[in-house]
Amino acid sequence: MKTVTHWIGGKPFVDASGASGTWGAVTDPATGEVTARVAMAGAEEADAAVAAAKEAYATWRTTPLARRIAILFRYRALLDARRDDIAALITAEQGKVHADALAEVARGLEIVELACGIGTALKGDTSTEVSSRVDVASIRQPLGVVVGISPFNFPAMISMWMFPMAIACGNTFVHKPSGKAPSASLLLAELAAEAGVPDGVLNILHGGKVAVDALLDHPDVAAVSFVGSTPVARHVYSRASASGKRVQALGGAKNHMLVLPDADLDAAAEAAVSAAYGSAGQRCMAVSVVVAVGSAGDALVPRIVERATKLTIGPGNDPKSEMGPLVTRAHRDEVAEYVAGAAAQGADVVLDGRGFTVEGLENGYWMGISLLDKVSTDSDAYRDEIFGPVLCVVRAETYDEAIGIVNGSRFGNAASIFTRDGGAARRFQREVEAGMVGVNVPMPVPVGYHSFGGWKDSAFGDHRMYGSEAVHFYTQGKVITSLWPEPDRPEPR
Ligand code: NAD
C-alpha cells in the first residue's frame, strides 16, 4: 500500500524523533478500497514543519524578486506539463471525474500565473518632497511563516489559491491539506522543489484537528489561510486570532439561483444541472437551491429532470462518466439522510438518488441524482449545507419574496439570477447578500486577478482569496518617512 508522508525541509518526512503522529487511511471513493496510509501529524511534526519554514524564511524573504519570479515561471511550466498526473491523483482519492479534476488544476494554475506577476503587485508608492527634503515611501513586506489549511473537495486548486501567492510575497509556508485526498499536495510540493523553491519554503503537513490546533497556537506562525466547512472555519478564525495571528477562513455555502419567469428556461435548466450535480455537488460554488419565481417553477422542474436523468454516473477515471462518487461512505450516508427526511418535511421528492450503484463497484460511495421540489425553508434539506448531488427547488410568488429567501440564508458565498430583464438583474446585484454574484452564470467563480470570498457564515476575516487581496493578506504595510540633508541645496522660502 502507498504511504503518503509529510514534506518538510524539502524532503519526505515520516515522523519527528518522538513520533507523536499516527496514520490515517485514504480510500478510492469509486471502489471503497483503502489505497494508501497517510501520516497524521501530532504537535512534534507540526513543530518540525514550522521550524523548517522559519529557518527558510531568513533567506527567502530577501531572495531577489527576479529570482523568485524565475522560480515561479519554472513552476508554472512543470505544473502545466503534469496536469494529467495531478488530475489522476485527485480522481483516485477525491472521486471527481478526470475532466473536472483537470479543470481544477487549470483554475489553480491561474493563481500561479498571477504569482508570476508579483513584481507589479508588490510595487510600493512614493511621495517625494512632502516637506523640505522629506520623502515618504509605502512598501509591503512579508509576514513570516504562513499556514494554509484546505478541504477535501479541491485537493490541488485550493492549495494553489494559497501558497503560490504567499511564497511569491516572500513568506514561507506550511500547508495542511485534507487527509481524505492528500497525494496531490505532495506532488505540488515535489514540483515546487524541482522548479527551485528552496528547502523549507513550502512544507506539507498531513493531519487532523491535533495538527491544525498545534499550528493555530504556534508562536512562530504569523498568519493562517483556511478553506473548509463553517464550523471549522469559525474555530480556526477564533482560535488563531486569539493568539494574534492574521486569519482568513472561508466556510461552507448554500448557493441560490433565482430564476425569473422571463429567463431562458432551457439555459437555466442546463445551468442548474451542471452547477448542482457537477463534481457530485461537492463544490462550495455548487448551486444547491433554485428559487423559482411564479410560473418559472412548473416550467423548470421538468427541464431539470430531463437533463439530470441523462447524466452518466461512474468512476472518475472512466471517460464516459460525467459525475463520480462522494468522497467517503460516511459522507454519502449523511447526504442520503437528507433525501430520506425530505418528504416528511414537506418536499416533493422528484428524483431520489439513494438506490443508485455501479455494477461491479458496489462498494463505492455512490449516490445518484436527487431533486427535491417545493422545499420548505424550514426544512433540514434547505437549511443545511448537504454537499452532495441534491438540488432543492423553492417556489416564490414574486421577486421580492425570492430575494427575501436568498438573503434569509445564513450563508452568503455565491448567488445568481437568471433573467432577460436588465433592470431586475441590476437590482439583484445591488440587493443580494453574497460575496460572488452571477447574472445568467450559475457558478460565478472569479478569475484569478479578481478575488474569491463569501459573506456571512461563508467567510470569516476581511480578506478574500487570491487577486490583489492575496497580496494584502500575505504582506504587511510599512511607511518610511526619510529626510536626507543636501548641504548645497538652498532652503525653500
Ligand atoms: P472540513 O472543514 O471538514 O475540513 C477542512 C480542513 O480542516 C481539513 O484540512 C481538515 O483536516 C481540517 N479539520 C477538519 N475538522 C477539524 C477540526 N475539528 N479542527 C481543526 N481542523 C479540522 O471541510 P471538508 O469536509 O474537507 O470540505 C468541505 C467543506 O469545505 C464544505 O463545507 C465546503 O463548502 C467548504 N469549502 C468552502 C470553500 C470556500 O471557498 N468557501 C471552498 C471549498 C470548500
Side-chain angles (χ1 to χ4, degrees):
M1 198 194 336
K2 180 168 123 179
T3 291
V4 184
T5 64
H6 310 297
W7 178 271
I8 298 178
K11 52 183 183 299
F13 181 101
V14 177
D15 60 31
S17 53
S20 64
T22 54
W23 295 97
V26 183
T27 57
D28 177 345
T31 63
E33 279 165 18
V34 176
T35 52
R37 60 173 195 161
V38 56
M40 299 287 280
E44 287 181 37
E45 288 80 5
D47 260 349
V50 175
K54 187 180 177 188
E55 191 187 334
Y57 180 62
T59 45
W60 182 245
R61 62 173 304 186
T62 53
T63 298
L65 207 43
R67 186 165 145 62
R68 298 209 299 256
I69 291 169
I71 290 171
L72 285 161
F73 267 96
R74 276 202 298 276
Y75 190 40
R76 198 248 162 230
L78 289 170
L79 290 167
D80 186 33
R82 299 289 297 274
R83 281 173 195 253
D84 254 322
D85 298 332
I86 302 167
L89 289 175
I90 295 169
T91 296
E93 295 179 350
Q94 198 273 357
K96 67 177 73 172
V97 300
H98 192 68
D100 282 348
L102 276 175
E104 152 170 11
V105 177
R107 294 313 295 252
L109 261 170
E110 266 184 31
I111 314 305
V112 179
E113 286 158 7
L114 185 74
C116 289
I118 198 68
T120 311
L122 279 181
K123 245 173 27 185
D125 288 325
T126 308
S127 303
T128 57
E129 220 59 30
V130 297
S131 183
S132 179
R133 292 160 298 147
V134 176
D135 300 329
V136 178
S138 292
I139 62 168
R140 298 203 69 87
Q141 292 192 313
L143 306 173
V145 177
V146 175
V147 160
I149 302 158
S150 58
F152 78 82
N153 64 323
F154 285 100
M157 181 188 78
I158 292 177
S159 314
M160 289 151 88
W161 282 2
M162 297 175 177
F163 71 77
M165 287 300 283
I167 68 173
C169 289
N171 302 285
T172 56
F173 206 85
V174 177
H175 179 41
K176 210 301 288 168
S178 167
K180 291 172 190 156
S183 294
S185 60
L186 211 53
L187 179 53
L188 295 183
E190 285 165 10
L191 295 177
E194 197 179 328
V197 172
D199 295 350
V201 170
L202 172 62
N203 306 278
I204 309 289
L205 188 77
H206 301 290
K209 182 171 171 55
V210 176
V212 168
D213 287 351
L215 295 170
L216 301 181
D217 295 343
H218 204 295
D220 291 333
V221 171
V224 179
S225 293
F226 173 89
V227 178
S229 61
T230 291
V232 184
R234 193 180 268 119
H235 164 73
V236 167
Y237 184 72
S238 48
R239 187 153 177 164
S241 41
S243 66
K245 300 180 196 338
R246 182 179 289 199
V247 197
Q248 55 179 176
L250 272 53
K254 195 86 188 178
N255 304 313
H256 291 59
M257 171 173 158
L258 194 160
V259 183
L260 292 180
D262 71 354
D264 176 341
L265 294 173
D266 288 318
E270 196 75 41
V273 168
S274 75
Y277 303 118
S279 291
Q282 296 178 122
R283 296 192 283 209
C284 65
M285 294 294 278
V287 166
S288 43
V289 181
V290 165
V291 185
V293 177
S295 61
D298 285 347
L300 199 58
V301 169
R303 285 173 163 85
I304 293 176
V305 171
E306 188 201 330
R307 287 163 176 82
T309 45
K310 285 191 187 134
L311 286 177
T312 306
I313 306 172
N317 58 9
D318 180 342
K320 292 194 292 300
S321 303
E322 293 168 289
M323 183 182 119
L326 293 176
V327 69
T328 59
R329 173 156 308 284
H331 184 51
R332 185 256 166 229
D333 292 346
E334 275 168 25
V335 172
E337 276 300 302
Y338 282 102
V339 180
Q345 296 192 358
D348 286 357
V349 181
V350 181
L351 296 173
D352 182 341
R354 284 177 296 159
F356 180 85
T357 192
V358 174
E359 209 183 314
L361 294 173
E362 287 80 4
N363 291 329
Y365 313 139
W366 303 108
M367 175 82 195
I369 301 289
S370 294
L371 178 64
L372 311 177
D373 191 14
K374 300 185 178 146
V375 173
S376 152
T377 53
D378 294 329
S379 65
D380 296 332
Y382 174 77
R383 271 200 312 263
D384 298 348
E385 181 185 37
I386 300 177
F387 220 55
V390 182
L391 176 62
C392 296
V393 178
V394 176
R395 305 292 190 107
E397 287 301 317
T398 61
Y399 168 86
D400 285 326
E401 190 193 344
I403 188 79
I405 291 168
V406 178
N407 287 346
S409 171
R410 67 189 173 98
F411 298 107
N413 207 42
S416 58
I417 186 166
F418 277 68
T419 180
R420 287 189 172 100
D421 178 343
R426 193 166 181 276
R427 185 175 164 198
F428 180 78
Q429 290 169 51
R430 186 177 67 250
E431 293 179 342
V432 72
E433 294 170 9
M436 292 168 283
V437 178
V439 175
N440 298 318
V441 171
M443 291 204 304
V445 181
V447 290
Y449 33 93
H450 286 259
S451 44
F452 184 109
W455 287 14
K456 303 200 272 190
D457 277 4
S458 294
F460 304 92
D462 56 3
H463 280 97
R464 297 154 68 91
M465 296 269 164
Y466 63 75
S468 58
E469 298 222 9
V471 176
H472 272 258
F473 185 75
Y474 293 127
T475 60
Q476 51 197 334
K478 188 181 264 181
V479 183
I480 303 156
T481 304
S482 45
L483 183 156
W484 286 103
E486 291 182 54
D488 300 336
R489 181 177 147 176
E491 280 301 313
R493 283 191 284 150

